[in-house]
Amino acid sequence: MSRLHCARASIAEIAAHFGIDSLPSITVPEETVEGLPGLVVFEKSGRRLLRSMTWGFLRLTKDMRARGEEAGRIGLVADLTNPMWEEMVVDPRYRCLIVLTHFANPDGVPGARTRTWFSVKRQPIIAWAGFCRNLLSEGPVYAGMTMEANAAIPPTNDRMPVLLDPHDYDAWLRGGIQDVIRFQFRPPFAAERMNVQRTEDSWRSKAPPPGTQAQALLL
């Protein structure tokens, strides 16, 4: 599963899509990888709020500590029974909508990976089902839930984000654990709904999705 996504839209467009009443004074990041900021929508006191948070929860195991390794970032939730997530997945307070317009997977052979971008047709702004928490040791952080990929994603990966339609937002933000399980194990968005943009851009190039450069200047 990819560890790269972006939101090529303005704060005003994002706020309108998600029903945000008050526009926050934040910047739309050019792209997000684990350890960098991304945009997240969550609910508090019945209101939807838009915030910038760091993608990925810190993880430092005993073995990592013994080897002198630094903590890593975990930005993907594939196993709901993992003790790292078991408290959050059952509590709607920790649900969020991760804001994106595109996500990318590395394509090609090792050493020459390129960026292949995925988006949803006729859905300029996408929500990815996620979990977020404000931790004393880390500040506000988030992770996204993954599922089995549709036929448009391979061979770049066999998993993809759990994408939501607007009519799913309330159920994700307010539902019980059975709703969380249902979203992860329901069929993914149909492959026919996906735009696939293969590029020659190096995986580490920071090049945006094709056709979005001009839009980025207007953010």
Side-chain angles (χ1 to χ4, degrees), residues 23-40:
L23 269 67
S25 180
I26 56 177
T27 302
V28 180
E30 291 188 3
E31 68 176 36
T32 300
V33 297
E34 286 174 324
L36 293 183
L39 299 181
V40 167

Side-chain angles (χ1 to χ4, degrees), residues 66-77:
R67 293 192 296 266
E69 298 177 5
E70 296 184 358
R73 290 277 177 182
I74 303 295
L76 305 174
V77 182

Side-chain angles (χ1 to χ4, degrees), residues 74-153:
I74 303 295
L76 305 174
V77 182
D79 181 3
L80 297 176
T81 66
N82 188 310
M84 186 170 184
W85 314 117
E86 62 183 4
E87 180 182 351
M88 282 185 291
V89 299
V90 300
D91 193 333
R93 290 181 302 168
Y94 303 126
R95 311 268 175 76
C96 66
L97 304 170
I98 302 166
V99 180
L100 64 153
T101 57
H102 304 74
F103 64 93
N105 284 333
D107 206 349
V109 298
R113 300 287 195 191
T114 56
R115 293 183 164 197
T116 290
W117 292 96
F118 301 91
S119 56
V120 179
K121 297 174 183 177
R122 295 179 293 279
Q123 197 162 320
I125 296 174
I126 316 168
W128 177 7
F131 304 94
C132 63
R133 195 162 186 176
N134 192 2
L135 299 172
L136 290 176
S137 59
E138 304 174 41
V141 292
Y142 71 92
M145 191 163 67
T146 67
M147 68 190 314
E148 185 176 348
N150 63 33
I153 307 300

Side-chain angles (χ1 to χ4, degrees), residues 159-177:
R159 294 189 68 79
M160 66 181 288
V162 175
L163 303 178
L164 304 174
D165 282 310
H167 64 257
D168 293 322
Y169 295 171
D170 285 344
W172 174 255
L173 291 171
R174 304 171 190 170
I177 182 60

